[in-house]
């Protein structure tokens, strides 16, 4: 067939004369498909998506859509979340290898052993984890609603937070909690350099630093605003300031620049001279793979039904408990 299991996407040459945007438009109408994209996708994918958002916005859209097919232009845990919410719909991911270092850092069997070492704890898991890890959790959160959800639990309730130790530590600092943290990091946010950020702030005095809570503590200490991708975008859109330093995956700059063409957005520098502020997982998706995925309705997300049912419970709890969070 079209998909080589080791490759993870439809491996077929695309006719270079095709207008892929037109073809994707035609196919999505024909098939009643919706394209949901995260901000970390390349600009051409963002520009043709039906909806672009952060993890919470994407989960909400996935829960509400009446499309027959969901094409997820994002990473595996996001598409899996859409499938958990929509077992009867076809959920497609242009490249099945689009993973996440946080999800990879928390294998379900190791997480079960960790939980057993901390009996009596409520488990809050960041949405960046596998369905099998979600199935072992009490509440799922995203960076948009994590603080709200942690604060909604009684102050003396012991909590395990997984898998992002930076987000967990930031939540502990914000709320005065002492949650037990799983030791995972995002390879992209972990690489921002505090030293270079400080130098950049000196070059652009007055430019606020907008940072994602997946960054580590020394970088977050330099931040004027900490929030999810959508919250960072909103902050910049609504601000009267002109110049902003942005410490998250640089794909978000595309929408920020479209919102505010007159403003200047400076990506925070990673530690080395690399392109490490581009997520290598997110960037596996390309417009060609998206086209082929929609055309052949593959690769498709599938999962064990028992895991799906168990993973649905903490996701629904998140959606209910954070209905008011924007
Ligand atoms: P949000 O878009 O929910 O802030 O998440 C960022 C991220 O790293 C997704 O993988
Ligand atoms: Fe995972 Fe980080 Fe990539 Fe987001 S940016 S998908 S958290 S590796």
């Amino acid at each position: 067939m079209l998909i080589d299991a080791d490759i993870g996407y439809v491996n077929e040459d695309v006719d270079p004369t095709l207008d892929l945007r037109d073809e994707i438009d035609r196919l999505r109408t024909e098939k009643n498909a919706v394209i949901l994209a995260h901000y970390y996708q390349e600009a051409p994918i963002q520009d043709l998506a039906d909806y672009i958002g952060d993890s919470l916005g994407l989960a909400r859209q996935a829960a509400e859509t009446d499309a027959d097919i969901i094409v997820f232009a994002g990473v595996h845990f996001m598409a899996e979340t859409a499938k958990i919410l929509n077992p009867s719909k076809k959920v497609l991911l242009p490249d099945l290898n689009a993973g996440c270092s946080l999800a990879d850092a928390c294998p379900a069997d190791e997480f079960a052993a960790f939980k057993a070492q901390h009996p009596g704890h409520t488990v809050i898991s960041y949405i960046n984890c596998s369905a099998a890890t979600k199935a072992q959790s009490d509440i799922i959160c995203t960076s948009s609603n994590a603080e709200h959800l942690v604060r909604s639990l009684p102050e003396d309730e012991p909590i395990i937070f997984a898998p992002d130790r930076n987000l967990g530590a930031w939540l502990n600092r914000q709320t005065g909690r002492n949650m037990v943290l799983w030791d995972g990091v995002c390879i992209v946010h972990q690489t921002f350099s505090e030293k270079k950020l400080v130098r950049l702030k000196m070059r652009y005095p007055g430019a606020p630093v907008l940072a994602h809570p997946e960054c580590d503590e020394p970088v977050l200490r330099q931040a004027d605003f900490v929030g999810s991708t959508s919250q960072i975008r909103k902050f910049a859109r609504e601000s009267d300031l002109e110049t902003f330093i942005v410490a998250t995956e640089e794909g978000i700059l595309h929408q920020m620049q479209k919102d505010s063409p007159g403003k200047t957005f400076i990506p925070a520098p990673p530690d080395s001279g690399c392109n490490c502020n581009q997520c290598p997982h997110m960037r596996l998706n390309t417009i060609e793979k998206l086209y082929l995925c929609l055309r052949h309705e593959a690769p498709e997300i599938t999962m064990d039904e028992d895991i799906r049912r168990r993973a649905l419970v903490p996701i629904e709890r998140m959606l209910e408990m954070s209905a008011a969070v924007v």
Side-chain angles (χ1 to χ4, degrees), residues 43 53 109 125 127 129 153 156 163 180 186 198 205 234 288 301 307:
D109 53 342
S125 293
I127 198 165
C129 65
L153 299 182
D156 56 353
V180 177
C186 160
V198 170
K234 182 168 182 279
E288 287 80 11
I301 300 290
I307 289 181

Side-chain angles (χ1 to χ4, degrees), residues 38 40 54-55 77-78 126 128 143 212 214 228-229 282:
H38 189 266
Y40 300 164
D54 67 0
S55 306
F77 76 81
M78 295 176 169
Y126 191 33
N128 299 40
S143 48
H212 196 280
E214 288 173 15
S228 74
T229 49
M282 289 276 183

Side-chain angles (χ1 to χ4, degrees), residues 40 75 77 99-102 128 186-189 214 279 281-282:
Y40 300 164
V75 290
F77 76 81
C100 169
S101 67
L102 280 167
N128 299 40
C186 160
I187 46 167
V188 180
H189 291 85
E214 288 173 15
C279 173
H281 305 290
M282 289 276 183

